[in-house]
Amino acid sequence: MNSVNNLVQQNHNIGFAMLFSFSNGQCNVKLAVLLLISTLIFASSEAKAKDSKNDMINGTWIIETIPPANAVKLCDEYLPTSTRIHFQILGPTRLAVEEERTDELGGTVELIPPISAALCSVGLGQSTEFGSNLCSNGQPIVDDKKNVQFDADFTFFRLTNADLEDVDNLFFSEQGAHEGAKMVTVSVNYKAVQWNIWMRSTNEMISECLVVLPGKNNVDSFPMIWRRQH
């Protein structure tokens, strides 16, 4: 990103230098104008390319998942089948701006009715001092006809070979993810919810949910499929 900015700035400076240099007459002016225009087009296309990569997650997604019937405890990231979530990216986080990074963006996670009472037993239904609360004492407290919005951070990255060899990413490898796969971590503010999502295509994403099963140290995982709702 810095190299792109440096190139744009360098061309910009050269263009203006040529524009105000009259030693070669009108030819310099024409070349300077062309260089400045091409620089602006290049910068615009770079910005659009980066926006499209991150904006791919924007929109409404509907969950498809079947947890094990004998599950003792589901992960805090669990969302029941038919849950509808709307993601909206708003802009870079303050930390990302300070560090001149483009991989971390702030935005919102919006829960669309009907809202399942099953959410009261997982992370999104936690009662917290800050942010929106869905439940209190294990029972829904929100209007079932209104959307509920949470602030969130979106961190984008791509899987490397080293990532795929890590046991923590074995799930995504088994689901078919390869080196370079687009990933996003969605962290819901003030909640114990952090979805690690493989952006498999523009219309389908996959995240992992850990589950505790009967028996000692019996932990497994299952996929949550996110399908874009058109």
Side-chain angles (χ1 to χ4, degrees):
M1 180 63 180
N2 286 336
S3 60
V4 170
N5 288 338
N6 291 339
L7 178 60
V8 171
Q9 186 62 50
Q10 189 177 44
N11 285 351
H12 185 271
N13 293 340
I14 293 172
F16 270 107
M18 292 177 68
L19 185 61
F20 289 103
S21 172
F22 297 101
S23 59
N24 293 325
Q26 191 176 11
C27 182
N28 258 8
V29 175
K30 288 182 179 179
L31 286 173
V33 170
L34 288 173
L35 185 56
L36 287 171
I37 291 174
S38 65
T39 300
L40 290 172
I41 293 173
F42 177 74
S44 176
S45 63
E46 282 291 315
K48 287 180 179 178
K50 290 185 178 298
D51 286 345
S52 63
K53 178 191 76 171
N54 295 334
D55 288 352
M56 178 178 163
I57 198 172
N58 284 350
T60 300
W61 301 84
I62 188 165
I63 302 298
E64 295 179 8
T65 185
I66 303 177
N70 61 338
V72 175
K73 178 176 174 53
L74 296 169
C75 66
D76 280 327
E77 289 74 21
Y78 174 71
L79 296 171
T81 288
S82 298
T83 299
R84 289 187 299 160
I85 295 285
H86 184 86
F87 288 140
Q88 182 63 53
I89 289 173
L90 300 177
T93 63
R94 179 177 178 179
L95 181 61
V97 171
E98 291 174 352
E99 297 179 352
E100 298 184 348
R101 293 185 291 107
T102 61
D103 61 336
E104 185 178 283
L105 303 172
T108 58
V109 171
E110 198 163 1
L111 188 61
I112 301 172
I115 297 172
S116 172
L119 289 172
C120 291
S121 61
V122 293
L124 210 57
Q126 287 179 330
S127 181
T128 54
E129 184 177 354
F130 300 101
S132 301
N133 284 320
L134 298 176
C135 312
S136 179
N137 297 321
Q139 297 298 320
I141 58 172
V142 294
D143 187 336
D144 193 45
K145 294 183 175 60
K146 294 183 179 179
N147 294 3
V148 181
Q149 184 173 286
F150 306 88
D151 292 332
D153 291 336
F154 298 76
T155 304
F156 295 86
F157 61 99
R158 289 181 180 269
L159 287 178
T160 64
N161 277 329
D163 292 330
L164 291 169
E165 292 172 0
D166 191 323
V167 65
D168 289 338
N169 293 309
L170 181 61
F171 167 84
F172 293 108
S173 179
E174 291 175 343
Q175 293 296 316
H178 299 287
E179 181 184 18
K182 295 179 180 179
M183 304 289 294
V184 60
T185 299
V186 183
S187 303
V188 181
N189 294 355
Y190 311 118
K191 305 292 181 184
V193 176
Q194 189 176 76
W195 293 298
N196 291 313
I197 302 173
W198 171 27
M199 302 166 70
R200 187 173 185 176
S201 70
T202 56
N203 294 316
E204 182 181 276
M205 306 191 298
I206 300 175
S207 63
E208 179 183 20
C209 182
L210 295 175
V211 57
V212 177
L213 300 174
K216 185 177 180 180
N217 298 325
N218 192 3
V219 178
D220 201 354
S221 67
F222 62 93
M224 292 201 308
I225 310 299
W226 306 64
R227 299 200 188 279
R228 186 180 295 278
Q229 189 171 47
H230 297 284

